[in-house]
Amino acid sequence: MPVLATVLGHPRIGIARELKKALEAYWSGATPAESLLATAQEIRTRHWSIMKEAGLDQVPCNDFSLYDHMLDMAVTVGAIPDRFQKIADPLNRYFALARGVQDRGAGIDLSPLEMTKWFDTNYHYIVPELDADQSFVLNPTKISAELAEAQALGITPRPVLPGPVTFLKLSKYADDVAAGLDTLELLPRLLPAYEELLALLAGHGVTWVQLDEPCLCFELDPASQQAYRTALTRLAGGAKRPGLLVATYFGSIGENLGLVTDSGCEALHLDLVRAPEELDGVLAALPAGMKLSLGVVDGRNVWRADLEQAHRTVRRAVDALGSERVMVASSCSLLHVPVDLDAETRLDAELKSWMAFAAQKVAEVRLLADAAQQEEPQDAAFVQAGAALARRRAAAAADNPAVRHRAEQVTEAMTRRGTPFAERSARQKRRFDLPLLPTTTIGSFPQSREVREARSKWRSGALDSEGYQDFLRAEIRRCIEKQEKLGLDVLVHGEFERTDMVEYFGEQLDGFAFTQNGWVQSYGSRCVKPPVLYGNVARPRPMTVEWSSFAQSLSKRPVKGMLTGPVTILQWSFVRNDQPRSETCREIALALRDEVADLEQAGISMIQMDEPAIREGLPLRRRDWPEYLEWAVAAFSLSTAGVSDETQIHTHMCYSEFGDILPSIVAMDADVLSIESSRSRMELLSHFRQYGYPNDVGPGIYDIHSPRVPTVEEMTTLLGLAAEVLPAERLWVNPDCGLKTRGWPEIEASLANMVQAARQIRLRLTPG
Ligand code: GLN
Ligand code: ZN
């Protein structure tokens, strides 16, 4: 029997982002639900047909979503919070859960469910909200409909479901439910819905179901282990059900292997791109009859597979298990890569020959499955892939030896400020003479319609570079004037010249390429187009100095130079896989270090290096955290530590759950840290109460994710709380994050209140 070929999921957004357009048209009221649903069906049909034609033996189904697969599962098991029940129309209710809804006339004002990052990706899922006495009722409408569509096309669909344990572990209780309860306690109530669903699918002729259980790649506490034992054995014990493929990805299954192998489930999927070392142990431990799905084609990156190496892996598995027990697959869902490389007409031909998007990865999987029987595959496609890889290696070796050499010469001393914070801080205080509780913002100001229009005119040639630069200078001037008038103490230039905080730097650095259509879903209808970091990173010329100098020339107050940190640039790009991420990160850090030096040279006295993505780069397993954190912190420090004591380094992060990585944040040794916190202030402050923080810190007191204008009183309350936990001399006053998605009127009102709040607390703290 031949080795089967399959993938864990397909991108949903469509090659031309059709889903995005259809969703946004529907949300705006421009089109009826029927058009949205028709587009969605077209997209599914197209993707299934592509996978069928490519010869996949099992094709994912129910991996499509109008918004998010976790939200779909919540709806499928009837986990819809009561407050949404008043919306009768299922489609509107679904989008209300995802996006919230405000209809003053109807007296409806519902905030959406929380959204958070899917493991270590930049995809955001909707966090199901459960009740302590939650009941689950199966609603198979979506999955049944999509199954029928797929079957009508004559393919063998393999429905994909978030597994029950991952579903519960990623869910949360509503705020008003007593804290400390574990969502896993709901497992006995949830499992019957899964059992019912599996029986139903079997009744429809489904032979395999894919249960996504990436939480098996975490270190599991005893309760979670027990939950896995209970869930998997119980589902495997069902009388009438399809075969169960338990899919793990984004890490290694490690010590959790037994939870699957002892369960009675028929198949296990491994992410062998992340954890290639796992194969032999698993082959030895797999019970007779259990099938193994080999995730050898990278679902997280855009490079062509090393087919020879993957082939050896497949052969090892076939030798150990026999071909009938082996499947070849993508490492994870292809959701995280763009749709089709063929749509790229402007990429450098050589670079393009190194790459593979979803469509190409599907073909690679098929090729590897076919080649499993041959010792030395001679297939033309195999030979071609090998030649491209050889060319890529040769090109990499010859790329930029100077950069590699410089990276090798980095010393520990280069990653440390020469002087301890206390002394630096004293000098900086003398230099800047700021008031107690200095006020500032995070960097960006509104990317208004005018800003976007000017940029697109310039890109299309309708506006020449000089005209565009004049426009930007005028925006900066206006922005500086407004900040001065508002009474802010430390200013920013507004970032009007940037579309995206990573793209802007990638476009100016060597080693990066850009796609035309390389969109990847970030959440709902939102997509990002990550740069492709393919070579040694170098900075041919200064990137931000002109804008920062211009902005500084307009004010006597300090204007912060604004940079994106090395870890964030790494994390939000598709990066080369032929050298460790840590090395690539160090190259980026060196380029940024030069930028920092140039900014300092140009008289910029405060430089902010944003690292909003440092936390999402954490590996799934805690035991792998120290290694990652060490090089991530070292890269940040390398980029910032070259300055004199009087130059003040700021950083910014967009999350508040940082208790567990606080020592690393301390080790970054930024003079000032601004951090998101207003949405979960208690959490942040409790971390500070417990561990303190030795340098200056600005806990965000204005939630920029909402258009509401916070009152002076709200902000004085927050500041007062912060001042109880941290010494006032080390406290800054700022919003949660950049203001680029907001509008000027609400910002001006909010910042005026923020400045007012700072003044009031200052008075309170310095009587007389
Ligand atoms: N300086 C950036 C801005 O203000 C930071 C963005 C972010 O934290 N994601 O937009
Ligand atoms: Zn932020």
Side-chain angles (χ1 to χ4, degrees), residues 652 654 736-737:
H652 164 71
C654 299
D736 257 348
C737 194

Side-chain angles (χ1 to χ4, degrees), residues 575-638:
V575 303
R576 53 192 303 183
N577 58 354
D578 57 349
Q579 69 181 27
R581 290 170 74 81
S582 54
E583 268 172 44
T584 308
C585 197
R586 189 189 298 151
E587 292 179 13
I588 306 170
L590 281 168
L592 290 168
R593 182 180 174 96
D594 294 344
E595 185 72 13
V596 167
D598 284 344
L599 283 169
E600 186 179 42
Q601 194 66 38
I604 305 300
S605 55
M606 295 185 181
I607 299 168
Q608 180 170 316
M609 187 71 80
D610 291 326
E611 285 289 23
I614 212 165
R615 193 174 205 292
E616 79 190 53
L618 283 172
L620 270 61
R621 281 182 192 274
R622 277 183 182 253
R623 62 169 172 264
D624 299 329
W625 283 17
E627 192 206 329
Y628 162 78
L629 287 168
E630 195 180 315
W631 63 252
V633 169
F636 176 86
S637 305
L638 179 60

Side-chain angles (χ1 to χ4, degrees), residues 179-481:
L181 281 183
D182 189 343
T183 48
L184 285 175
E185 284 163 21
L186 295 174
L187 188 65
R189 296 175 178 220
L190 176 62
L191 287 176
Y194 271 79
E195 286 178 307
E196 197 186 329
L197 177 57
L198 292 177
L200 182 122
L201 293 173
H204 285 305
V206 167
T207 49
W208 282 97
V209 163
Q210 173 184 323
L211 286 179
D212 279 356
E213 286 289 1
C215 286
L216 281 165
C217 298
F218 285 134
E219 279 114 351
L220 297 174
D221 57 22
S224 304
Q225 293 173 19
Q226 191 48 45
Y228 269 113
R229 270 183 220 110
T230 307
L232 295 180
T233 45
R234 169 113 175 243
L235 295 184
K240 186 169 161 247
R241 63 167 180 86
L244 297 176
L245 167 68
V246 179
T248 65
Y249 44 80
F250 304 152
S252 62
I253 189 168
E255 72 284 357
N256 299 325
L257 177 63
L259 299 175
V260 183
T261 53
D262 294 345
S263 68
C265 291
E266 283 77 12
L268 166 67
H269 172 86
L270 297 179
D271 183 342
L272 293 173
V273 173
R274 281 293 176 86
E277 71 288 347
E278 268 206 318
L279 180 63
D280 290 323
V282 172
L283 289 176
L286 217 60
M290 189 172 215
K291 292 186 173 25
L292 188 63
S293 165
L294 308 169
V296 287
V297 169
D298 195 350
R300 291 287 297 276
N301 213 332
V302 291
W303 307 109
R304 238 170 152 163
D306 179 343
L307 289 183
E308 253 175 68
Q309 193 198 328
H311 176 66
R312 282 196 297 275
T313 303
V314 176
R315 293 284 293 179
R316 263 193 1 253
V318 168
D319 284 346
L321 307 176
S323 58
E324 68 289 349
R325 288 173 62 197
V326 175
M327 291 185 258
V328 178
S330 56
S331 62
C332 60
S333 168
L334 298 177
L335 177 66
H336 310 289
V337 292
V339 178
D340 189 352
L341 185 64
D342 288 346
E344 298 300 321
T345 53
R346 282 189 232 141
L347 265 187
D348 170 75
E350 181 55 27
L351 177 59
K352 192 172 162 184
S353 78
W354 305 347
M355 295 167 66
F357 290 176
Q360 289 69 37
K361 287 172 188 286
V362 166
E364 288 181 332
V365 164
R366 180 69 263 167
L367 202 60
L368 283 164
D370 286 339
Q373 310 292 350
Q374 308 156 29
E375 194 134 350
E376 301 242 331
Q378 300 300 330
D379 199 289
F382 242 86
V383 177
Q384 250 179 35
L389 189 66
R391 287 199 312 276
R392 181 176 165 205
R393 288 195 176 126
D399 185 12
N400 194 336
V403 170
R404 280 198 307 279
H405 181 73
R406 188 171 173 220
E408 280 159 20
Q409 304 303 309
V410 168
T411 60
E412 211 265 307
M414 288 166 75
T415 64
R416 260 185 289 117
R417 298 289 289 269
T419 313
F421 171 74
E423 220 172 292
R424 282 178 351 237
S425 166
R427 291 189 188 176
Q428 291 164 14
K429 286 222 155 82
R430 282 196 291 277
R431 176 175 189 183
F432 298 117
D433 193 28
L434 295 168
L436 189 68
L437 304 174
T439 52
T440 189
T441 62
I442 305 304
S444 57
F445 272 88
Q447 287 272 327
S448 59
R449 195 162 43 83
E450 295 79 48
V451 173
R452 283 181 315 222
E453 271 173 17
R455 179 160 45 236
S456 73
K457 273 195 198 151
W458 166 63
R459 290 220 159 128
S460 71
L463 181 65
D464 62 11
S465 286
E466 212 158 302
Y468 181 52
Q469 306 242 334
D470 283 346
F471 169 83
L472 291 173
R473 271 191 287 269
E475 284 293 304
I476 292 174
R477 187 183 295 277
R478 205 160 64 98
C479 184
I480 295 276
E481 279 165 8

Side-chain angles (χ1 to χ4, degrees), residues 4-23:
L4 299 187
T6 183
V7 297
L8 266 51
H10 195 277
R12 312 158 179 157
I13 204 76
I15 183 70
R17 286 179 296 157
E18 299 90 324
L19 182 58
K20 173 192 179 68
K21 289 162 198 164
L23 282 168

